[in-house]
Amino acid sequence: MASRGKWGSRVGFILAAAGSAVGLGNIWRFPYITGKNGGALFVLIYFGCVVVLGLPVLLAELAVGRATCKNPVGAFQALRPGAKWHYTGYLGVVTAVMILSFYSVIAGWTVGYCCKTICGHFAAPGRGEVAAVFSAFIASPWLQIALLAFFIFLTVFIVSRGVAAGLESFARVLMPALFLLLLLLMGYSLTLPGAQKGLAFYLMPDFSEINGRVFLEAMGQAFFSLSLGMGTMLTYGSYLKKKENLVTAAAWVAVLDTSIAVLAGFIIFPALFSMNMAPDQGPGLVFAILPEIFAKIPGGMMFGAFFFLLLAVAALTSTISLLEVPVAFLIDERNWPRRRASVLVGGAALAFGIPSALSGGGVKFLSRLPLVHVDFLSLWDKVWGNISLSVGALLIAIFVAHVWKTSRALEEITAEGVRFRLARLWTIAIKYVCPLLILVVLVSQFF
Ligand code: PFF
């Protein structure tokens, strides 16, 4: 156990778990998915998903992790030896590698945009220039691959150094700085002319827009943003000491994560509508809008560069947690040294990430091959970032409620005298509401 490492302190754990949760999911993915799904109604359903599905599953993952002190595969095996439940863990390990692969592409964009802002590419953009810079940027194959490789290298470097040292020191400084910068940007964005239209889009639900896809995307976004459904929080819980309070830890993570996403929306949508841009432009949304904002603020270039740097660090604390899942599996179950595990999984993520890195086009000699026109970035985001996480969360909920049993989970949650006032509500949620709701939303996609 000693060789697996433990969190240095309680605040360290909360910050590291929040560091995993807060990342591109909040600042890149949340605004683009909200924009694509019509705004306020999506936000409302998203909140519902965080409370009704996210929080219960988060607590369940932390409890399984701490009860077993194991990686996702080992944890299911320990609690139900000889059964097939550990395949849920394998699904998590594969999902982690695949999410890491495309997530690092976007993380590479933040690094690229940090450099571009410093170099003054956005100092005084003309009409349509920011969009043109973005298209040219994602259509540069070597640059995209280099940024992807750079980001995966950074992640591997940190993960290979081990848990407490590797993660806590990073999480400690980042979160407050990012929060502050987001608040400042929000203040600016809300005062732009025409910001009200953006606020209306973001805050006034239009119930005629409701459909099954909105539910699937809101549910997937809740799991993605809270790092659930593939054993990240399970793995992080496994490094947690018995005396820590899982309930308050879970609540803190959810509140921090959701408030950062909400803040990001308050920056993007007022600015977007003030500049007469379309909200449904997909994954490039924030990269099209942020440079426009920075160009208008006095000293905006320095500000912008710092912002993209912080965003890159926020992405890094998330990629670290993604890599930690397969690495913990290889250390525990295959007795691999941490270094070798990190390097090998990082290499695999790099290889799988290349199709996503090339999604912006730009490789002429490939353009005659059949599969090249598939937008792998969006496809992987949907398959692994949404469906696979939802299936994983469904299996974890069923396992905890009906195989391991809620009474045992509650014993773990309330170990060492911790009080859990909402125990009954949690039991109902994890036993019935989570499995049924996730299943209904997933199955409804086929009709
Ligand atoms: N939650 C991270 C974000 O919002 O950026 C992304 C993520 C990390 C998803 C870890 C899943 C995961 F297991």
Side-chain angles (χ1 to χ4, degrees), residues 22-165:
V22 174
L24 297 170
N26 309 62
I27 292 159
W28 158 72
R29 203 177 190 268
F30 177 75
Y32 110 68
I33 304 253
T34 303
K36 210 176 84 186
N37 286 292
L41 180 64
F42 172 87
V43 177
L44 202 67
I45 300 175
Y46 173 72
F47 285 160
C49 289
V50 168
V51 175
V52 175
L53 305 174
L55 268 172
V57 174
L58 175 53
L59 202 50
E61 275 202 29
L62 289 177
V64 171
R66 197 180 59 180
T68 55
C69 292
K70 282 196 175 358
N71 66 90
V73 175
F76 287 104
Q77 250 158 4
L79 295 178
R80 190 35 71 112
K84 298 235 179 322
W85 278 99
H86 63 284
Y87 283 103
T88 308
Y90 281 117
L91 176 69
V93 169
V94 173
T95 306
V97 179
M98 299 311 285
I99 294 185
L100 180 61
S101 79
F102 74 80
Y103 194 93
S104 302
V105 173
I106 314 289
W109 292 1
T110 63
V111 175
Y113 263 55
C114 180
C115 302
K116 272 185 187 301
T117 317
I118 294 176
C119 297
H121 286 214
F122 303 117
R127 233 188 129 64
E129 213 174 290
V130 171
V133 169
F134 180 69
S135 307
F137 174 64
I138 59 169
S140 322
W142 292 115
L143 179 61
Q144 289 296 313
I145 293 176
L147 287 171
L148 165 70
F150 170 72
F151 213 86
I152 290 189
F153 171 81
L154 266 185
T155 311
V156 167
F157 178 75
I158 295 170
V159 169
S160 58
R161 289 172 52 208
V163 182

Side-chain angles (χ1 to χ4, degrees), residues 172-227:
R172 245 167 218 281
V173 261
L174 156 84
M175 206 71 62
L178 183 67
F179 203 78
L180 215 76
L181 212 53
L182 286 171
L183 276 177
L184 280 174
L185 281 177
M186 177 179 83
Y188 175 76
S189 195
L190 287 175
T191 55
L192 287 170
Q196 299 90 320
K197 270 190 286 172
L199 280 181
F201 176 82
Y202 191 42
L203 299 176
M204 314 259 282
D206 173 2
F207 287 93
S208 64
E209 295 261 339
I210 205 153
N211 62 48
R213 201 191 70 188
V214 179
F215 280 95
L216 179 69
E217 301 239 309
M219 178 172 91
Q221 174 63 21
F223 293 140
F224 188 92
S225 196
L226 291 170
S227 306

Side-chain angles (χ1 to χ4, degrees), residues 55-68 237 240-251 400-401 404-430:
L55 268 172
V57 174
L58 175 53
L59 202 50
E61 275 202 29
L62 289 177
V64 171
R66 197 180 59 180
T68 55
L240 208 49
K241 294 174 192 145
K242 285 281 178 218
K243 67 173 199 296
E244 306 298 1
N245 187 330
L246 297 184
V247 183
T248 42
V400 168
W404 188 36
K405 302 289 185 214
T406 44
S407 53
R408 294 207 194 95
L410 281 171
E411 255 169 51
E412 181 61 41
I413 294 169
T414 55
E416 307 217 354
V418 167
R419 280 186 61 196
F420 183 21
R421 285 206 212 96
L422 300 178
R424 284 204 39 198
L425 266 183
W426 176 80
T427 308
I428 296 172
I430 204 79

Side-chain angles (χ1 to χ4, degrees), residues 168-362:
E168 274 178 47
S169 47
F170 258 87
R172 245 167 218 281
V173 261
L174 156 84
M175 206 71 62
L178 183 67
F179 203 78
L180 215 76
L181 212 53
L182 286 171
L183 276 177
L184 280 174
L185 281 177
M186 177 179 83
Y188 175 76
S189 195
L190 287 175
T191 55
L192 287 170
Q196 299 90 320
K197 270 190 286 172
L199 280 181
F201 176 82
Y202 191 42
L203 299 176
M204 314 259 282
D206 173 2
F207 287 93
S208 64
E209 295 261 339
I210 205 153
N211 62 48
R213 201 191 70 188
V214 179
F215 280 95
L216 179 69
E217 301 239 309
M219 178 172 91
Q221 174 63 21
F223 293 140
F224 188 92
S225 196
L226 291 170
S227 306
L228 297 175
M230 46 160 268
T232 306
M233 290 300 175
L234 190 158
T235 308
Y236 271 30
S238 75
Y239 303 123
L240 208 49
K241 294 174 192 145
K242 285 281 178 218
K243 67 173 199 296
E244 306 298 1
N245 187 330
L246 297 184
V247 183
T248 42
W252 266 110
V253 171
V255 167
L256 279 174
D257 185 66
T258 309
S259 33
I260 294 211
V262 169
L263 264 180
F266 274 116
I267 298 167
I268 299 297
F269 293 109
L272 193 74
F273 278 76
S274 146
M275 290 163 199
N276 280 322
M277 295 212 250
D280 57 351
Q281 41 187 292
L285 182 71
V286 293
F287 292 90
I289 194 79
L290 286 173
E292 299 269 6
I293 303 181
F294 297 133
K296 292 198 169 61
I297 303 179
M301 290 306 104
M302 231 179 62
F303 203 60
F306 188 51
F307 180 83
F308 283 120
L309 181 72
L310 279 184
L311 193 50
V313 181
L316 189 59
T317 53
S318 300
T319 52
I320 288 168
S321 74
L322 283 160
L323 184 57
E324 187 62 29
V325 172
V327 165
F329 160 70
L330 290 169
I331 293 176
D332 292 354
E333 307 298 315
R334 300 284 185 267
N335 281 324
W336 284 27
R338 185 169 266 278
R339 275 265 307 270
R340 195 206 303 170
S342 323
V343 170
L344 233 106
V345 179
L350 175 59
F352 286 117
I354 288 177
S356 301
L358 300 180
S359 279

